[in-house]
């Protein structure tokens, strides 16, 4: 028997956006009740947050830069409340890398000036926000993944959470527990980039109509423990060039936290080379003299990967509909020029709550009332910030040099660049076949040799990700037609899922019966980055939340 839980407001995803939104809504209600007439007070408004991870912060990784602008608005006395802000940024540097050399860019553009920002552990930060939320009486339910949106006519009325205790062959185990139907007057979807629930809402309400396709990147990150406290604590480095080709969008970042270094590589998921492997490029990055010198004596502590929405202002979907709102990464609110989105997610959650307060007062959760969110977002500093970089990623579709030129031109023209809007194509449409890219049928080039100390294979990196899945559960990577994988994709693209997945989830192995190769899935390796769902050239892979 499936249980039903009724709440007033449901936030999906315990990230900075939803937690900020929940806290802000509670504060708005408290402030309203202090001045409202008895008949106009909002009594006993129930606010809940569900999170697919075992605990708040389980699906975040140390080493992110926080612009505190939204935090100052949400919690003005955040410093007195011991906000875990980590390391203040003390220095910014930008380098262009070649195979063996580096050239320091003499001028750091304003977009990459991080003075006043902090290098934080995002996991600790969201745990702290979660504690503040719970202290205000907000119900937080970790370990509950939203798997299905619930509708009544044309209105979103809630979320169904995933069943537990189902075996790999879809047979019920003795521990079987049906998911819960959580019904709400309004649902705020903040489940992160390319979320499965937002995909359902996009298709149901045609939220992408009139918008440019969302463009994504994959960010791979390692956290390294240094043998002693670094004298360069607070230093932030960004790089362009090596190991990526000029035709590929992306770059590296390094954040020095004193005792730890967060090192990452961002690769645009609109690359053309079917043999490009972002994880391999990340390992190659660490062989560069500049990066290697900064990791001397260090030990790998953590690894992770996630997709980033980088389409920008013109790719933001319609984010309000009957009974629901979309915030944060789920709505594409990332400034790809600054490589930041935490502050945008927090503010979008707060603006959603300001809209929800009015909806609660009117008891009207229709699109007409919730549509105020779009106006608030557009007129806020979030809208202004994203509008200033509205053509950034698109400018790199023709390579590094045109992209850098367009980025500079945007800073002069208020975001216009050489054309406004530049437009974009979905990344998976831009990968070219082997013959088209190389001019002939060829095999994948040999990968980098790993040493197990500085460079690692995907399986070893997965171990450092802390990924834990129940092995005996249904596969959460749904492939619509494996015959395409075995035949057409092998011939045309050489099965790029083996390369764009950063966790060795997809492998082509010899067939058990007969010649050729067949696809083998290793779903317990999955890092939940959603890259396969995004970059598959045939769009036949669907990621759904595992148990």
């Amino acid at each position: 028997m499936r249980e039903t839980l009724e709440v007033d407001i449901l936030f999906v995803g315990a990230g900075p956006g939803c937690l900020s939104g929940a806290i802000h809504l509670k504060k708005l209600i408290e402030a309203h009740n202090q001045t409202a007439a008895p008949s106009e007070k909002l009594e006993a408004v129930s606010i809940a947050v569900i999170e697919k991870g075992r605990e708040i912060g389980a699906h975040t990784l140390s080493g992110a830069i926080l612009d505190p602008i939204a935090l100052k608005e949400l919690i003005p006395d955040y410093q007195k409340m011991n906000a875990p802000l980590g390391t203040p940024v003390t220095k910014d540097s930008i380098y262009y890398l070649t195979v063996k050399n580096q050239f320091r860019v003499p001028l750091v553009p304003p977009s990459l000036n991080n003075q006043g920002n902090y290098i934080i552990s995002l996991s600790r930060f969201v745990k702290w926000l979660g504690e503040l939320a719970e202290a205000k009486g907000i119900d937080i339910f970790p370990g509950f993944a939203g798997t299905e949106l619930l509708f009544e006519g044309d209105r979103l009325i809630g979320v169904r959470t995933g069943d537990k205790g189902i075996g790999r062959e879809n047979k019920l185990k003795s521990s079987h527990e049906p998911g819960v139907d959580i019904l709400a007057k309004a649902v705020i979807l903040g489940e992160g980039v390319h979320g499965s629930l937002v995909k359902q809402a996009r298709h149901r309400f045609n939220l992408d109509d009139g918008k440019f396709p969302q463009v994504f990147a994959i960010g791979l990150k390692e956290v390294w423990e240094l043998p002693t406290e670094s004298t360069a604590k607070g230093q932030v480095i960004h790089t362009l060039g090596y190991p990526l080709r000029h035709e590929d969008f992306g770059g590296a970042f390094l954040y020095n936290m004193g005792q730890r270094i967060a090192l990452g590589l961002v690769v645009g998921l609109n690359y053309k080379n079917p043999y490009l492997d972002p994880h391999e490029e990340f390992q190659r990055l660490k062989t560069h003299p500049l990066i290697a010198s900064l990791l001397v004596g260090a030990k790998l502590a953590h690894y992770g990967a996630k997709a980033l929405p980088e389409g920008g202002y013109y790719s933001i979907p319609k984010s309000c509909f009957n009974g629901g709102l979309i915030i944060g990464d789920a709505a594409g609110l990332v400034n790809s020029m600054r490589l930041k989105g935490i502050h945008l997610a927090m503010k979008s959650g707060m603006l959603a709550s300001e809209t929800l307060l009015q909806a609660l007062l009117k008891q009207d959760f229709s699109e007409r009332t919730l549509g105020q969110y779009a106006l608030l977002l557009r007129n806020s500093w979030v809208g202004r910030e994203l509008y200033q970089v509205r053509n950034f990623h698109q400018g790199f579709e023709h390579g590094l040099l045109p992209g850098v030129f367009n980025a500079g031109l945007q800073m002069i023209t208020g975001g216009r660049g050489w054309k406004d809007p530049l437009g974009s194509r979905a990344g998976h449409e831009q990968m070219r076949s082997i013959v088209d890219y190389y001019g002939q049928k060829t095999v994948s080039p040999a990968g980098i040799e790993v040493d197990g100390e500085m460079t690692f294979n995907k399986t070893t990196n997965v171990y450092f990700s802390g990924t834990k899945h129940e092995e005996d559960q249904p596969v959460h990577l749904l492939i619509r037609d494996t015959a395409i994988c075995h035949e057409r994709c092998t011939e045309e693209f050489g099965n790029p899922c083996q390369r764009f997945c950063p966790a060795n989830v997809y492998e082509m192995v010899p067939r058990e019966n007969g010649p050729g190769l067949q696809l083998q899935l290793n779903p317990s390796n999955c890092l939940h980055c959603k890259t396969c769902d995004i970059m598959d050239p045939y769009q036949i892979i669907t990621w759904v939340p595992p148990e």
Side-chain angles (χ1 to χ4, degrees):
M1 184 69 180
R2 193 178 299 277
E3 294 184 9
T4 299
L5 172 66
E6 294 189 19
V7 300
D8 290 302
I9 306 296
L10 175 64
F11 289 86
V12 179
C18 282
L19 290 173
S20 297
I23 293 169
H24 192 53
L25 180 57
K26 195 72 173 181
K27 292 171 70 173
L28 290 172
I29 292 171
E30 291 171 351
H32 167 79
N33 288 343
Q34 287 179 356
T35 58
S39 61
E40 296 176 348
K41 290 187 177 182
L42 294 170
E43 300 291 354
V45 176
S46 55
I47 305 171
V49 182
I50 60 172
E51 161 60 32
K52 65 184 174 73
R54 290 183 181 83
E55 60 183 20
I56 296 176
H59 288 176
T60 55
L61 184 62
S62 295
I65 292 185
L66 173 68
D67 180 336
I69 180 173
L71 179 61
K72 292 175 181 177
E73 295 179 12
L74 178 67
I75 306 170
D77 56 347
Y78 65 90
Q79 291 177 319
K80 292 181 180 179
M81 298 185 68
N82 298 316
L85 293 183
T87 305
V89 176
T90 58
K91 184 180 180 181
D92 289 287
S93 302
I94 302 176
Y95 289 90
Y96 173 76
L97 304 184
T98 62
V99 176
K100 295 294 183 182
N101 295 305
Q102 67 269 356
F103 302 92
R104 185 170 179 175
V105 177
L107 186 66
V108 176
S111 58
L112 291 178
N113 186 336
N114 287 291
Q115 303 305 306
N117 297 335
Y118 298 88
I119 308 171
I120 65 169
S121 163
L122 187 56
S123 177
R124 291 177 184 172
F125 184 70
V126 296
K127 284 180 181 177
W128 176 75
L129 287 175
E131 292 168 358
L132 297 182
E134 288 183 313
K136 282 191 165 293
I138 296 164
D139 295 313
I140 299 180
F141 302 104
F144 286 83
T147 58
E148 183 181 348
L149 296 180
L150 303 175
F151 298 95
E152 190 174 85
D154 65 347
R155 179 172 171 261
L156 176 62
I157 62 168
V159 171
R160 176 169 292 173
T161 65
D163 293 358
K164 298 180 180 180
I166 300 178
R168 192 176 180 90
E169 304 302 323
N170 287 307
K171 294 181 179 179
L172 303 187
K173 297 189 285 189
S174 60
S175 60
H176 176 250
E177 181 182 329
V180 179
D181 285 351
I182 307 178
L183 306 181
K185 296 174 181 176
V187 177
I188 298 82
L189 299 175
E191 57 181 338
V193 60
H194 207 60
S196 55
L197 296 182
V198 171
K199 282 181 68 177
Q200 295 175 33
R202 281 167 44 206
H203 295 145
R204 176 87 178 209
F205 297 112
N206 300 314
L207 301 180
D208 293 327
D209 283 1
K211 308 291 184 178
F212 287 134
Q214 183 59 264
V215 182
F216 299 90
I218 180 174
L220 303 103
K221 184 192 296 181
E222 292 175 346
V223 179
W224 289 75
E225 297 274 5
L226 297 173
T228 58
E229 181 85 4
S230 173
T231 57
K233 182 177 181 180
Q235 184 180 45
V236 170
I237 295 175
H238 288 95
T239 76
L240 296 169
Y242 183 85
L244 300 178
R245 301 184 186 187
H246 278 198
E247 69 178 44
D248 302 318
F249 174 85
F253 60 87
L254 185 147
Y255 307 149
N256 192 318
M257 298 174 279
Q259 198 65 54
R260 287 183 165 194
I261 280 179
L263 175 68
L265 179 69
V266 174
V267 180
L269 291 176
N270 55 351
Y271 55 81
K272 299 175 178 62
N273 181 2
Y275 286 144
L276 191 148
D277 185 327
H279 179 272
E280 183 178 299
E281 300 304 320
F282 183 34
Q283 302 311 305
R284 191 171 282 115
L285 169 71
K286 291 179 288 183
T287 67
H288 190 276
L290 173 66
I291 305 301
S293 68
L294 298 172
L295 297 179
V296 171
K299 298 293 183 182
L300 180 63
H302 301 290
Y303 168 73
K306 67 165 289 188
L308 307 167
E310 299 211 335
Y313 189 84
Y314 293 122
S315 297
I316 298 172
K318 180 181 177 183
S319 300
C320 47
F321 42 89
N322 291 329
L325 297 170
I326 307 176
I327 66 172
D329 276 13
L333 304 182
V334 167
N335 184 330
S336 55
M337 183 181 279
R338 298 183 69 195
L339 202 61
K340 292 179 182 61
I342 300 171
H343 65 300
L344 302 174
M346 293 177 68
K347 181 62 174 179
S348 68
M350 295 165 67
L351 295 174
S353 291
E354 292 170 19
T355 304
L356 291 168
L357 176 67
Q358 298 306 312
L360 286 164
L361 292 171
K362 297 177 182 178
Q363 284 300 297
D364 178 4
F365 300 89
S366 67
E367 183 181 326
R368 180 179 58 185
T369 297
L370 296 184
Q372 181 68 15
Y373 166 67
L375 184 62
L376 290 175
L377 194 66
R378 185 166 61 248
N379 293 334
S380 71
W381 53 257
V382 173
R384 292 191 295 273
E385 179 175 330
L386 292 178
Y387 189 71
Q388 291 292 316
V389 295
R390 59 193 181 275
N391 291 310
F392 176 73
H393 188 113
Q394 292 82 350
F396 285 85
E397 286 203 3
H398 299 290
L400 177 63
L401 296 180
V404 170
F405 174 77
N406 184 62
L409 196 59
Q410 282 190 81
M411 288 188 283
I412 299 171
T413 60
R416 184 186 188 281
W418 64 61
K419 181 183 176 183
D420 187 24
L422 272 180
S424 63
R425 288 189 297 150
H428 69 272
E429 296 177 352
Q430 300 192 49
M431 183 185 291
R432 292 159 62 181
S433 69
I434 297 170
V435 171
D436 187 28
Y437 188 83
Y438 287 96
Q440 59 182 342
K441 185 65 178 177
T442 183
V443 297
S444 177
I448 184 174
E449 290 189 13
V450 299
D451 59 19
E453 295 182 359
M454 182 78 74
T455 55
F456 308 93
N457 60 32
K458 292 180 182 180
T459 303
T460 301
N461 264 145
V462 169
Y463 171 79
F464 283 96
S465 74
T467 296
K468 296 178 183 177
H469 291 94
E470 169 61 53
E471 293 281 353
D472 187 16
Q473 65 170 302
V475 173
H476 68 281
L477 299 155
L478 311 179
I479 301 176
R480 191 168 66 245
D481 185 355
T482 54
I484 292 177
C485 308
H486 300 155
E487 300 164 12
R488 184 177 170 189
C489 189
T490 299
E491 178 68 21
E492 293 180 348
F493 295 98
N495 303 110
C497 58
Q498 301 176 98
R499 292 175 287 277
F500 58 58
C501 172
N504 204 41
V505 170
Y506 301 88
E507 285 188 284
M508 297 302 293
V509 299
R511 287 183 185 270
E512 295 179 358
N513 300 306
L517 301 174
Q518 66 180 21
L519 179 64
Q520 173 179 290
L521 290 177
N522 306 307
S524 60
N525 285 6
C526 182
L527 299 174
H528 300 201
C529 70
K530 323 287 180 59
T531 302
C532 56
D533 196 321
I534 294 166
M535 195 58 181
D536 168 44
Y538 304 101
Q539 293 293 280
I540 60 172
I541 301 175
T542 299
W543 182 97
V544 298
E547 181 179 321

